[in-house]
Amino acid sequence: MPQLSERAVRMPSSPIRKLAPLAEEAKKRGVKVYHLNIGQPDLDSPSVALQALKTINRTILEYSPSDGFLSLREKLVGYYDQYQIKLTAEDIIITTGGSEAVLFAFMTCLNPGDEIIVPEPAYANYMAFAISAGAIIRPITSSIEDGFALPSIERLEEMITPRTKGVMICNPNNPTGYLYTRKEMNKIRDLVKKYDLYLFSDEVYREFIYTGSPYISACHLEGIEENVVLIDSLSKRYSECGIRIGALITKNKKLRSAVMKFCQARLSPPLIGQIIAEASIDAPREYAMNVYEKFIERRNCLVDELNKLPGVYSPIPMGAFYTVARLPIDDSDKFCAWCLTDFEFEGETIMMAPASGFYSEEGKGKNEVRLAYALEKKELKRAIFLLGEALKKYNQLSSNRNQ
Amino acid sequence: MPQLSERAVRMPSSPIRKLAPLAEEAKKRGVKVYHLNIGQPDLDSPSVALQALKTINRTILEYSPSDGFLSLREKLVGYYDQYQIKLTAEDIIITTGGSEAVLFAFMTCLNPGDEIIVPEPAYANYMAFAISAGAIIRPITSSIEDGFALPSIERLEEMITPRTKGVMICNPNNPTGYLYTRKEMNKIRDLVKKYDLYLFSDEVYREFIYTGSPYISACHLEGIEENVVLIDSLSKRYSECGIRIGALITKNKKLRSAVMKFCQARLSPPLIGQIIAEASIDAPREYAMNVYEKFIERRNCLVDELNKLPGVYSPIPMGAFYTVARLPIDDSDKFCAWCLTDFEFEGETIMMAPASGFYSEEGKGKNEVRLAYALEKKELKRAIFLLGEALKKYNQLSSNRNQ
């Protein structure tokens, strides 16, 4: 066969999904698997959305505009306004999930060899999309000891080279749950302005902020309106990961036109997803409140239970629905796989995402895992109990091996 | 603002969609626009599919597997079997439309600077996806005089360089409607084998073959099983362009694993689209028959009416639902825009895709347009009548200008 491309070889496997075949096998053996690996909430999608789905009375399931339905974009304008993000429908491009928004942003802004600075641990697929565009991620590592706060802006500035084209942040952060402070956001703004960089800001978890601290959007920052590319997704807030509807938001007209060429090439975002998305924005306030309360409860449960386990440490995530926890193990890739292949307790086990995949440098995050708290409290409690049992057995086995 | 990427600058606007804003403006002025530019059939989607949509009783619209539901892939195995394409579910990866299948194929197989040979005129978005991957399209031009037959294989072989990584065909062809003969396909196979190339074969129009000639799939060719990447889409055959469900098919395990990394990065194809797609495969034979008969009728109508117009020539397309016609004009980009901005007849006009966008070399196809025959026969007849009126007026104006 002809060779694969270099990018295909360099492309990482998803740390969130690469263990999926092992989980499938465990399930085939009759083992119940608690999914702590993936951010798919178990909560119902809004009933207005499900209702909209049932009452679609189109007879031709046809293309939609390449930038998405105007009616959806107009409705989103109102949604963002609640967060003091002032947009017009023209500023919004509907994408096939937030994933496509990141891909198109990178493809449009970054040349092969261009660099972007990304605080790590970071959402693993940024690396995949950077590799797709031939760009290089220059990681700036935040640490679990500091609760994954942004490293000093001086360290960030030191990393800037003539090839630096942008900074990518995720706020609130996946995988750490960290929420950037106003001070940090202002520092990022100053840097972006000083070096004329792009600021790619993934803010899909803005609904999930648990601390009373203010949410500072990249779109709130003055003086860098032309530099900001906001990444959004409707998946998380409406428990609709499957509809694949996201958005790329920019006030930069030249950038918008360029992104639109990529949008036209793939013709249009999903039709049905857009109809569901539009209906979802009308979900009553109680829907969001209920979801929010569940996640507060789950967060507390997860962090409490984790920190009770010997040798385990998790900071308290301020937002999103993940935490990165440190485990008393040497290699979380091995441990996470082992949980699926060799461990079970009363016919049950857990699936987690090894944190190594959220760092771009080899060797980092080896004793960390990302845990999503997208499960019912009772299930979550059981899952963390199982983690405790797994750790016990795993460490017993390794100490036996070392004797 | 920071600079755009070079690929974003080089990225072509879609010849099919770039005139859309002009059409919108015409509609706002109250002008009825006949869409000959886009391959969205006006036929209803199968009622089994619409029924499946209405009876979805999921309460969480969640992620699906990155390679798509197994049940859908298994059903597709049966579908392909009807065409003597022997596959397993493992050979099939569900993508977000055929578009994503092409993008992932190129991203996985082609390095920046790698070349692929593409008979032209070709589906415009191949160029967009090649640019996305940094690859170079080496066009081999077929001509309207030869009914767009594949140029001699010797000419094709002459174009091979050390950077040639593959050949991309579309069969039956969009935009020309040409269907490759068995002899041509065998020659392509020999070349692919001799130089160990990838053969990317877009066969989304296999249902639309009007001549009784056999459909030879790239998957029928023996000895190049590891080299073939089949691109497919359910959009056209079920009038479901909006569901964004396609497929990338390969028997090459290494290639599959590499493509899967791109699939995992974007998480999953659309959930609802897959449910609709799966139901659509069960559409009764009469559905396909009815669609087929409509297109036969429309094809005949379109070609007859076109060739009646003075100075207009269209070969008879053997498949798909497009034709490339030569018009008595000097610049189809200008003419197609003019039809939307400056022409109307009894409050009506037409939208066509300038053929220049289907050639990668500047200056080619300047007197050609692509016309889709995805409209009702009556509408089609009226649209071609309007084309005749537009040509009369346009040429009158230019001859006045030249006097």
Side-chain angles (χ1 to χ4, degrees):
Chain A
M1 67 172 279
Q3 287 194 318
L4 297 174
S5 70
E6 284 159 35
R7 77 170 74 77
V9 175
R10 285 178 51 220
M11 192 81 175
S13 289
S14 163
I16 305 153
R17 298 201 154 218
K18 70 182 170 185
L19 300 177
L22 302 185
E24 282 313 305
E25 281 167 36
K27 286 175 195 169
K28 274 187 204 152
R29 291 195 309 273
V31 176
K32 174 170 178 182
V33 178
Y34 291 84
H35 284 274
L36 296 166
N37 62 307
I38 199 158
Q40 165 63 57
D42 65 334
L43 303 173
D44 282 359
S45 309
S47 56
V48 279
L50 299 170
Q51 199 48 37
L53 173 62
K54 282 197 191 306
T55 51
I56 289 172
N57 55 13
R58 289 165 180 258
T59 57
I60 310 180
L61 303 176
E62 61 199 331
Y63 288 123
S64 61
S66 295
D67 51 355
F69 285 120
L70 180 61
S71 53
L72 170 57
R73 291 184 286 123
E74 281 174 344
K75 226 168 198 180
L76 281 171
V77 168
Y79 164 79
Y80 290 114
D81 191 60
Q82 299 174 294
Y83 290 92
Q84 281 72 55
I85 298 174
K86 306 294 175 190
L87 301 173
T88 68
E90 256 306 280
D91 303 329
I92 303 170
I93 294 174
I94 303 300
T95 55
T96 307
S99 302
E100 190 181 68
V102 180
L103 178 67
F104 285 177
F106 288 0
M107 293 297 269
T108 305
C109 299
L110 307 176
N111 279 320
D114 279 353
E115 298 173 4
I116 46 172
I117 298 171
V118 182
E120 284 194 342
Y123 178 55
N125 292 324
Y126 298 155
M127 298 172 214
F129 299 129
I131 289 172
S132 294
I136 295 160
I137 285 193
R138 298 259 292 157
I140 176 154
T141 310
S142 65
S143 77
I144 195 165
E145 287 78 17
D146 303 328
F148 297 112
L150 191 68
S152 76
I153 216 75
E154 290 71 30
R155 265 186 60 205
L156 227 151
E157 190 163 7
E158 278 165 24
M159 301 190 64
I160 291 178
T161 76
R163 291 308 299 264
T164 307
K165 237 2 214 312
V167 176
M168 168 112 219
I169 59 171
C170 178
N171 186 35
N173 192 273
N174 170 7
T176 67
Y178 186 74
L179 179 74
Y180 291 114
T181 63
R182 187 185 296 275
K183 210 170 146 189
E184 285 173 325
M185 288 301 283
N186 284 343
K187 282 184 172 178
I188 290 174
R189 176 202 59 201
D190 294 344
L191 208 69
V192 162
K193 205 170 174 174
K194 181 169 171 188
Y195 294 93
D196 197 23
L197 304 175
Y198 287 111
L199 175 56
F200 306 105
S201 187
D202 175 349
E203 303 180 4
V204 309
Y205 296 100
R206 77 175 64 77
E207 257 80 8
F208 304 93
I209 295 175
Y210 311 112
T211 58
S213 307
Y215 153 62
I216 313 295
S217 168
C219 287
H220 294 151
L221 305 175
E222 282 175 25
I224 57 166
E225 290 78 4
E226 297 278 295
N227 303 59
V228 168
V229 183
L230 192 75
I231 307 297
D232 207 3
S233 164
L234 283 85
S235 295
K236 307 296 176 173
R237 57 182 183 261
Y238 303 121
S239 196
E240 291 172 350
C241 298
I243 67 170
R244 311 310 300 131
I245 297 297
L248 184 154
I249 293 166
T250 175
K251 291 192 162 293
N252 182 324
K253 299 286 173 215
K254 248 176 100 176
L255 179 56
R256 182 189 205 277
S257 302
V259 172
M260 278 304 294
K261 294 194 283 184
F262 291 89
C263 291
Q264 288 177 347
R266 62 77 164 117
L267 305 169
S268 61
L271 167 74
I272 315 282
Q274 288 181 80
I275 295 170
I276 296 169
E278 198 173 323
S280 301
I281 301 172
D282 287 332
R285 232 191 113 51
E286 296 78 58
Y287 177 81
M289 295 271 286
N290 176 45
V291 168
Y292 183 79
E293 276 161 23
K294 290 244 180 214
F295 277 105
I296 287 261
E297 193 179 88
R298 289 165 180 199
R299 177 187 75 136
N300 296 344
C301 165
L302 178 78
V303 174
D304 286 354
E305 297 300 319
L306 277 175
N307 287 322
K308 275 187 212 159
L309 295 179
V312 173
Y313 171 63
S314 166
I316 300 178
M318 296 145 82
F321 39 72
Y322 310 96
T323 195
V324 171
R326 189 174 55 204
L327 306 183
I329 47 162
D330 53 351
D331 186 334
S332 57
D333 278 278
K334 274 189 205 157
F335 176 66
C336 293
W338 178 87
C339 284
L340 294 167
T341 53
D342 288 84
F343 172 76
E344 63 165 287
F345 183 88
E346 295 172 352
E348 300 183 333
T349 191
I350 45 171
M351 183 171 181
M352 298 170 294
S356 58
F358 298 86
Y359 294 89
S360 52
E361 281 173 90
E362 194 67 40
K364 289 220 166 127
K366 292 299 262 186
N367 61 352
E368 294 169 8
V369 290
R370 185 192 78 166
L371 304 162
Y373 43 101
L375 293 180
E376 203 54 83
K377 193 174 153 189
K378 212 181 107 196
E379 302 254 297
L380 209 53
K381 218 162 171 166
R382 175 73 179 166
I384 303 307
F385 168 79
L386 291 170
L387 170 60
E389 294 303 309
L391 284 169
K392 264 190 247 168
K393 192 167 172 204
Y394 188 75
N395 284 327
Q396 213 171 353
L397 286 172
S398 9
S399 80
N400 288 352
R401 221 177 287 123
N402 292 341
Q403 275 165 13
Chain B
M1 68 173 279
Q3 287 194 318
L4 297 174
S5 70
E6 284 160 34
R7 78 170 74 76
V9 175
R10 286 176 53 220
M11 193 81 177
S13 289
S14 163
I16 304 152
R17 297 200 155 217
K18 70 181 171 188
L19 299 176
L22 302 184
E24 283 313 306
E25 282 166 35
K27 285 175 195 170
K28 273 186 204 152
R29 292 194 308 273
V31 176
K32 174 171 178 182
V33 178
Y34 291 84
H35 284 274
L36 296 166
N37 61 306
I38 199 157
Q40 167 61 57
D42 66 333
L43 304 174
D44 281 357
S45 308
S47 55
V48 279
L50 298 170
Q51 199 49 37
L53 173 62
K54 281 195 192 307
T55 51
I56 289 172
N57 55 12
R58 290 167 179 257
T59 57
I60 310 180
L61 303 175
E62 60 200 332
Y63 288 124
S64 60
S66 296
D67 51 355
F69 285 120
L70 180 61
S71 52
L72 170 57
R73 291 183 287 123
E74 280 174 344
K75 225 167 200 181
L76 281 170
V77 168
Y79 164 80
Y80 290 115
D81 190 61
Q82 298 174 295
Y83 290 93
Q84 281 72 54
I85 297 174
K86 306 294 177 191
L87 301 173
T88 68
E90 256 306 279
D91 303 330
I92 302 171
I93 293 174
I94 303 301
T95 55
T96 307
S99 301
E100 190 181 66
V102 179
L103 177 66
F104 285 178
F106 288 180
M107 293 297 271
T108 306
C109 299
L110 306 176
N111 279 321
D114 279 354
E115 299 173 1
I116 46 172
I117 298 172
V118 182
E120 281 193 348
Y123 179 54
N125 291 324
Y126 298 156
M127 297 170 217
F129 299 129
I131 289 172
S132 294
I136 295 160
I137 285 192
R138 299 260 290 158
I140 176 155
T141 311
S142 65
S143 77
I144 195 166
E145 287 78 17
D146 303 328
F148 296 111
L150 190 69
S152 76
I153 215 74
E154 290 72 28
R155 264 188 59 206
L156 227 151
E157 190 163 8
E158 278 165 24
M159 300 189 63
I160 291 178
T161 76
R163 291 305 302 260
T164 307
K165 244 345 224 317
V167 176
M168 168 108 218
I169 59 171
C170 178
N171 186 37
N173 192 274
N174 170 7
T176 67
Y178 187 74
L179 178 73
Y180 292 115
T181 63
R182 187 184 298 274
K183 210 170 149 189
E184 285 173 325
M185 288 300 284
N186 284 342
K187 283 185 171 177
I188 290 174
R189 176 201 59 201
D190 294 344
L191 207 67
V192 162
K193 205 169 174 175
K194 182 169 171 190
Y195 294 93
D196 197 21
L197 304 174
Y198 286 112
L199 176 55
F200 306 104
S201 188
D202 175 350
E203 303 179 5
V204 309
Y205 296 100
R206 77 175 64 76
E207 257 81 6
F208 305 92
I209 295 175
Y210 310 112
T211 57
S213 307
Y215 153 61
I216 313 295
S217 168
C219 287
H220 294 149
L221 305 175
E222 282 175 25
I224 58 167
E225 290 78 2
E226 297 278 293
N227 303 58
V228 168
V229 183
L230 192 76
I231 307 295
D232 206 5
S233 163
L234 283 84
S235 295
K236 307 296 175 174
R237 57 182 183 260
Y238 304 120
S239 196
E240 291 172 351
C241 298
I243 66 169
R244 312 310 299 132
I245 298 297
L248 184 154
I249 293 166
T250 174
K251 291 191 162 291
N252 182 324
K253 299 287 173 215
K254 247 175 99 177
L255 180 56
R256 182 189 204 279
S257 301
V259 171
M260 277 306 292
K261 294 194 283 184
F262 291 89
C263 291
Q264 288 178 347
R266 62 77 165 117
L267 306 170
S268 61
L271 167 74
I272 314 283
Q274 289 181 79
I275 295 170
I276 296 169
E278 198 172 323
S280 301
I281 302 172
D282 287 331
R285 230 190 114 52
E286 296 79 58
Y287 177 81
M289 295 272 286
N290 176 45
V291 169
Y292 183 80
E293 276 162 23
K294 289 246 178 210
F295 277 105
I296 287 263
E297 194 181 87
R298 290 165 179 199
R299 175 186 77 137
N300 296 343
C301 164
L302 178 78
V303 174
D304 285 357
E305 296 299 319
L306 278 174
N307 286 322
K308 273 186 211 162
L309 296 179
V312 173
Y313 171 64
S314 166
I316 300 177
M318 296 145 84
F321 39 72
Y322 310 96
T323 194
V324 171
R326 189 173 55 205
L327 306 183
I329 48 163
D330 53 352
D331 187 334
S332 57
D333 278 278
K334 275 189 204 157
F335 177 66
C336 292
W338 176 88
C339 285
L340 294 167
T341 54
D342 288 87
F343 172 76
E344 62 165 287
F345 184 89
E346 296 172 352
E348 299 183 332
T349 191
I350 46 171
M351 183 173 182
M352 299 171 293
S356 59
F358 298 86
Y359 293 88
S360 52
E361 280 173 273
E362 194 65 40
K364 287 215 166 134
K366 291 300 263 186
N367 61 353
E368 295 169 6
V369 290
R370 185 192 78 164
L371 304 162
Y373 44 102
L375 293 180
E376 204 53 85
K377 192 175 154 185
K378 214 180 107 197
E379 302 254 296
L380 209 54
K381 217 162 172 165
R382 175 71 179 169
I384 303 307
F385 167 77
L386 291 170
L387 170 61
E389 293 303 308
L391 283 169
K392 263 191 249 169
K393 193 168 169 203
Y394 187 76
N395 284 328
Q396 213 169 354
L397 285 173
S398 10
S399 81
N400 288 353
R401 222 176 287 122
N402 292 342
Q403 272 166 16

